[in-house]
């Protein structure tokens, strides 16, 4: 145990702070709601919340389509060729 | 989610993100908002400042919940975040001016007469407001939060011996302020 604990437990300063320790803090009525709204907003903007199931499924479908296209046209490197042409 | 779920489970769920994680974190907000605002109120001396900093602390905790390596210690982890934010908030020029004004009052010989008639909670608050900020911080952590020295050192991010020394000095300054303002107490055994 912390050796200073007993020393401070019997301290009058500790005793006078009992008024603060026993005190119930009254928060603004909307404090919790405000915090949760802020968290919700941050979660949306910072992409902390993953995409919804619908958009996740949509991205899988698009990716599958791309893979299928690659399989059908295996030699197609047109994108990179075009990029080189542009350069 | 069940209200009886412990912090460690809520932190683990929140770390997984998603809507479920967000709801778990909101439960942590419900559970910890009162003590956090109280702590910050005693650090900063203002409920509105305390609520602003508490909100910021919750948001930052939410964003970095994955860094909370031991969910059982969420409260201690949140306390460190909040303390840093409070320290920065207090450094703001406007609030610093307020603290300096209050600290200067302690040095003046008229402090006792100005505060004549204070008692109980008001006296305590006034005496606390006269402390320099590092002393105020450590007094609150020790005598209001009742943290052991080791945890105080951890929150303040200083060594144990430095925390012990600061605590002894802060206690002395508080005792002087309290007495100057007319506070009465038993024998000084601290």
């Amino acid at each position: 145990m912390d050796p200073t604990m007993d020393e401070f437990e019997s301290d009058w300063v500790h005793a006078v702070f009992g008024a603060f320790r026993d005190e119930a803090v009254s928060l603004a009525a909307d404090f919790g709601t405000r915090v949760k709204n802020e968290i919700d907003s941050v979660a949306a903007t910072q992409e902390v919340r993953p995409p919804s199931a619908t958009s996740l499924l949509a991205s899988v479908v698009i990716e599958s389509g791309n893979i299928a296209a690659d399989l059908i046209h295996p030699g197609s490197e047109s994108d990179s060729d075009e990029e080189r042409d542009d350069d | 989610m069940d209200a009886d779920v412990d912090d460690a489970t809520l932190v683990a769920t929140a770390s997984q993100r998603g809507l479920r994680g967000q709801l778990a974190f909101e439960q942590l907000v419900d559970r910890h908002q009162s003590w956090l605002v109280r702590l910050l109120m005693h650090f900063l001396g203002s409920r509105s400042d305390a609520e602003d900093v508490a909100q910021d602390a919750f948001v930052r905790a939410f964003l970095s919940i994955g860094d909370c390596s031991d969910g059982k210690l969420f409260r201690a982890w949140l306390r460190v975040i909040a303390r840093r934010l409070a320290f920065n908030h207090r450094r703001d020029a406007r609030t610093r001016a307020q603290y300096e004004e209050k600290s200067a009052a302690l040095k003046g010989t008229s402090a006792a007469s100005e505060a004549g008639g204070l008692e109980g909670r008001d006296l305590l608050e006034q005496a606390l407001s006269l402390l320099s900020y590092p002393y105020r911080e450590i007094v609150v952590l020790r005598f209001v939060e009742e943290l052991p020295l080791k945890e105080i050192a951890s929150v303040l991010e200083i060594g144990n011996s430095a925390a012990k020394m600061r605590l002894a000095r802060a206690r002395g300054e508080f005792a002087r302020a309290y007495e100057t303002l007319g506070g009465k107490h038993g024998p000084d055994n601290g």
Side-chain angles (χ1 to χ4, degrees):
Chain A
M1 184 169 173
D2 183 354
T4 64
M5 283 294 278
D6 290 341
E7 182 186 337
F8 284 105
E9 290 297 343
S10 59
D11 188 351
W12 67 264
V13 174
H14 182 264
V16 299
F17 272 100
F20 276 178
R21 289 193 300 271
D22 299 338
E23 183 177 66
V25 175
S26 58
L27 300 174
D30 66 340
F31 177 73
T33 309
R34 212 159 18 106
V35 172
K36 288 170 190 174
N37 286 344
E38 187 66 19
I39 285 170
D40 195 48
S41 161
V42 164
T45 57
Q46 304 263 337
E47 297 181 0
V48 168
R49 196 163 50 208
S52 68
T54 308
S55 58
L56 197 62
L57 188 62
S59 68
V60 169
V61 169
I62 291 167
E63 190 57 33
S64 303
N66 290 341
I67 292 169
D70 286 347
L71 289 172
I72 293 167
H73 307 288
S76 168
E77 296 288 342
S78 58
D79 285 353
S80 54
D81 289 340
E82 281 169 14
E83 278 173 19
R84 274 197 293 275
D85 288 345
D86 288 340
D87 291 337
Chain B
M1 192 170 280
D2 192 336
D4 294 334
V5 175
D6 61 18
D7 281 2
T9 307
L10 291 173
V11 168
T13 308
S15 300
Q16 291 166 15
R17 300 301 190 188
L19 189 58
R20 195 160 169 266
Q22 190 176 327
L23 292 173
F25 191 85
E26 288 180 0
Q27 205 166 327
L28 288 167
V29 171
D30 289 337
R31 188 173 292 179
H32 293 282
Q33 60 184 10
S34 290
W35 73 260
L36 184 62
V37 171
R38 185 183 76 166
L39 170 70
L40 291 166
M41 215 167 75
H42 293 317
F43 276 172
L44 299 168
S46 147
R47 195 183 80 171
S48 63
D49 284 354
E51 289 186 354
D52 288 348
V53 174
Q55 177 173 326
D56 200 6
F58 277 125
V59 170
R60 283 169 191 249
F62 174 69
L63 289 173
S64 54
I65 192 70
D67 296 339
C68 182
S69 53
D70 186 348
K72 291 195 296 293
L73 302 179
F74 175 76
R75 182 175 170 138
W77 181 72
L78 182 61
R79 191 187 285 120
V80 172
I81 293 173
R83 182 259 162 185
R84 286 181 189 156
L85 291 173
F87 186 84
N88 293 342
H89 179 86
R90 182 257 165 196
R91 272 199 317 209
D92 172 82
R94 185 176 54 81
T95 46
R96 186 173 61 226
Q98 289 171 0
Y99 280 100
E100 284 170 355
E101 197 176 315
K102 286 177 182 174
S103 296
L106 177 62
K107 297 181 178 77
T109 52
S110 60
S113 59
E114 282 174 6
L118 284 176
E119 41 184 59
R121 195 196 177 287
D122 291 340
L123 173 63
L124 197 54
E125 195 166 316
Q126 181 71 10
L128 194 59
S129 75
L130 295 176
L131 300 186
S132 61
Y133 189 76
Y135 285 180
R136 180 185 180 115
E137 249 184 350
I138 202 165
V139 163
V140 169
L141 290 172
R142 178 64 192 98
F143 298 113
V144 182
E145 291 287 298
E146 296 186 297
L147 297 185
L149 196 66
K150 191 177 172 186
E151 197 166 344
I152 290 174
S154 169
V155 173
L156 297 179
E157 301 174 278
I158 57 177
N160 285 357
S161 57
K164 187 174 183 179
M165 191 181 297
R166 188 183 297 180
L167 180 56
R169 287 175 179 164
R171 186 207 166 279
E173 189 173 315
F174 173 81
R176 277 191 294 281
Y178 190 79
E179 286 164 354
T180 304
L181 294 171
K184 293 179 176 53
H185 57 81
D188 193 343
N189 53 2

